[in-house]
Amino acid sequence: MSSAVSAKTSNLPALQARAWIELSGEALKHNVDLLRSLLPEGCELMPAVKANAYGHGDLLIAGRLQELGIKAFCAACAEEGLRLREGGIKGTILILGYTHPEQFPLLTDYQLTQTVVDFPYASSLEAYAEASGMTSKFHVHVGIDTGMHRLGERYEHLEELCAIFHMPHLQIDGLYTHLCVADTRSPEDQDYTHAQIRAFYETIRKLEALGYHCPGLHLLSSYGLLNYPDFCADYVRTGIALYGMLSTKKDTEDCSLPFRPVLTLKARVSSVRTLLPGESAGYGLMFTAKRPSRIAALSIGYADGLPRALSCGRAHVLIDGQPAPVVGRICMDQMLADVTDIPEAAAGSIAVIIGRSGDHEITACDLAEQTDTIANEILSRLGGRLRRILL
Ligand SMILES: *Cc1c(COP(=O)(O)O)cnc(C)c1O
């Protein structure tokens, strides 16, 4: 294992003590191989490891990706980039979001590549470099807004885009756009996406015609790659697919590619007790036993990122390969499950919250469906208190 994956706390005893995440290095490699098989010659993956690698653990994931030959990564902000560098990650780290001018020194100190979020932002980078007498250049990828209307200079603003090329302290290593409806196949959304793709390439063509060299082009994320594979360009910014699923259960099931989930979330059973019929449990006494019931307390709660909306039977956990319904309200640090039908369940047993046990599997997509969101949100909110182990 490289130094990139040794967390400061790695010598704490018993990583699997309370609640923890197990990462399958094999599943990650499988997904990387699968995604790479979709790329044309010369195109590379630039995985999104933002938000703690979608909750998986940024250094563990990026460290393993580096071992698999990945040379470019996407982070959300400069502080994430800094963490990756300090954890030993080499190559390009593209900051997809905004970096405040007060943090501009981080960009050069940690060799981070900044997104130009619009023309005024490019000017502020240039002004900072000028004022501070910077002798090096900021490495940037120019964002081009083709219809997402979030970040990037508008593709129509050719003059501004040209002006960015003239800024002496900006080294333009890439140009990119982001598609906003590449995940659906409705005719309107396909039209919109093709219009975005056309606008991007038209803009690049015009810039090249004016003599500006445009390296490092990219426009696809996971859904983009799956639905618009003809437009891979130089990099593909895959996030969710790399972690082994798509955003919803339906999309994941409909997808013909055999992605494998990388993450398993587990927690310990801390105590099991028997309730008599009519006895209730938990905050608000939301659960009442209808039969003599065995209720297990698990050492994980909503502060670990498990949505409280999964309370009262809206999820199951797996113990010894058998499903146990969540009962009562999920607490900040603990939750309850009904293990009446699982005689093996006892203090010290392991409950699988996300993952496989026996013939059963609970996915992040299942939890997302139960709480009206997408798997990306479920995963990225998994908390810092969870220990993470790469297997
Ligand atoms: C998060 C993000 C990605 C990755 O998206 P997935 O859908 O998870 O593949 C790609 N590009 C940008 C700009 C992003 O913000």
Side-chain angles (χ1 to χ4, degrees), residues 108-127:
T108 44
D109 290 354
Y110 292 90
Q111 293 121 38
L112 306 175
T113 302
Q114 175 59 43
T115 294
V116 171
V117 306
D118 55 22
F119 174 71
Y121 189 81
S123 306
S124 72
L125 280 167
E126 182 57 30

Side-chain angles (χ1 to χ4, degrees), residues 48 50 54 96 150 176 178 221-223 237-241 376:
K50 62 194 184 188
Y54 291 42
L96 296 171
R150 184 176 67 176
Y176 75 98
H178 196 41
S221 55
S222 297
Y223 278 93
R237 306 183 303 264
T238 44
I240 192 68
N376 313 42

Side-chain angles (χ1 to χ4, degrees), residues 43-67:
C43 175
E44 286 183 41
L45 290 182
M46 180 160 48
V49 293
K50 62 194 184 188
N52 201 19
Y54 291 42
H56 289 59
D58 54 357
L59 297 185
L60 291 176
I61 292 290
R64 179 53 59 91
L65 289 172
Q66 185 158 270
E67 288 167 7

Side-chain angles (χ1 to χ4, degrees), residues 269-276 279-282 287-298 319 324-328 335-342 345-347:
V269 172
S270 40
S271 174
V272 178
R273 66 203 54 216
T274 301
L275 265 59
L276 301 174
E279 284 190 310
S280 299
F287 170 76
T288 301
K290 295 189 177 59
R291 54 174 178 167
S293 300
R294 294 177 71 243
I295 301 300
L298 311 181
I319 299 176
V326 172
V327 294
M335 61 191 274
L336 301 173
D338 186 341
V339 296
T340 310
D341 301 323
I342 312 175

